[in-house]
Amino acid sequence: MTAGFRHRSDAGAPSPPPGAHDLASLAHALRADTLDLVPVILPHAPWQVEIQGYLRRETIWADELPAGFNAVPNKVPYVLDGAPLYPELVVVRLLELAGWNAAWRKTWNGEAYWRDVREPVELPDHLVSALEQISLHAGHPGHWEIVAWRGRQLRLLSSRPSGGQLVSAYQAEWLSIALQVGLPIGCFAVVEHRVVRAPRRRRLQHIPPD
C-alpha cells in the first residue's frame, strides 16, 4: 500500500507541506478573516496533529433561490459575490478563482464530484486512485469533502459551520491512514463558516408635505 502510493510519477506526487507564503496565498484565495491551527486527535495513536484552519464570515442568502437549488438537501446557501452558493461550493468557487481545480464530493443519490450544482467534474486518475486507496484501508470513504489540485499541489479541505465539531471521527481516522501512506499534513485544512447578520436596511423617515 505505502510503496504503491509514494512511488507515483512526479506529475502525480503530492506537494510538500505548505510554507508561510502558501498559507497566506490560500488564505487570500479563500478570503479568510483569520488563520488558526485546528488540533486533531488521531485514533489508535497517543498524540494529536494540527491542521490549518481558515475562518470565513458568511451572510445567508435571503432572497428566492434559482431553479435547481433544491438538488442539494439540508443546506443553507451563503452569499458570494452577489449570488447564492452552498458552503462547500463557496470554497470550490474561491479556489477556482485563485487558479485551482476544485470539486465537492457529494454523497446523496449516488456519489459524484461537483464544481457547481448539478455540474459534475472528473478528478485526475491518480487522485482518484490515491483517495480510493486510503478509503479502502480506512474502511470507509470518510475523506474530506473538498478536493483541490493545481499541478503537483493537492489540498483536501473540510467545510464546517462555526461552533460545531470541525473534524469528525471519521475524518480523523481517514487522516491518520493518509499520513501513514505518506500524504503530508499540510495537504489538509478546515474552512470554518461563521454567519454574520446582514446589515438592516434603514427605514426612510416619512416627511409630510408642506
Side-chain angles (χ1 to χ4, degrees):
M1 173 187 68
T2 304
F5 183 82
R6 286 180 173 171
H7 290 86
R8 296 185 180 278
S9 65
D10 288 344
S15 64
H21 175 74
D22 185 74
L23 292 177
S25 176
L26 197 57
H28 179 75
L30 295 170
R31 304 180 192 176
D33 286 334
T34 59
L35 288 79
D36 202 357
L37 292 175
V38 178
V40 181
I41 299 176
L42 299 179
H44 317 301
W47 62 81
Q48 69 178 24
V49 295
E50 293 180 327
I51 61 174
Q52 190 61 49
Y54 300 91
L55 174 66
R56 281 184 43 81
R57 300 186 187 276
E58 312 286 4
T59 301
I60 294 177
W61 179 264
D63 296 331
E64 185 177 353
L65 290 170
F69 261 67
N70 59 357
V72 180
N74 304 319
K75 288 287 182 183
V76 176
Y78 297 147
V79 179
L80 181 67
D81 296 336
L85 274 179
Y86 290 111
E88 293 84 356
L89 294 178
V90 167
V91 178
V92 168
R93 182 65 52 82
L94 290 172
L95 290 170
E96 286 185 335
L97 290 172
W100 291 80
N101 298 289
W104 171 30
R105 174 179 169 264
K106 70 96 178 174
T107 56
W108 68 95
N109 296 331
E111 181 178 319
Y113 286 92
W114 281 3
R115 64 174 300 271
D116 206 342
V117 175
R118 290 178 173 168
E119 188 174 334
V121 63
E122 296 291 332
L123 269 61
D125 290 341
H126 70 274
L127 288 187
V128 173
S129 177
L131 297 176
E132 289 180 347
Q133 186 180 37
I134 297 170
S135 296
L136 175 65
H137 288 272
H140 56 79
H143 61 76
W144 301 49
E145 62 263 34
I146 299 168
V147 182
W149 65 100
R150 184 173 62 182
R152 293 181 57 193
Q153 293 180 296
L154 169 66
R155 297 292 178 266
L156 299 169
L157 301 98
S158 179
S159 171
R160 290 290 182 269
S162 182
Q165 185 181 28
L166 295 181
V167 178
S168 70
Y170 281 107
Q171 288 178 315
E173 186 174 14
W174 201 92
L175 169 62
S176 180
I177 298 296
L179 297 178
Q180 290 178 40
V181 301
L183 205 60
I185 187 68
C187 290
F188 293 85
V190 174
V191 181
E192 183 180 359
H193 304 272
R194 180 172 298 170
V195 173
V196 297
R197 294 190 178 189
R200 293 183 178 181
R201 296 180 180 178
R202 298 185 60 184
R203 297 179 61 182
L204 296 179
Q205 183 179 2
H206 178 69
I207 302 177
D210 294 336

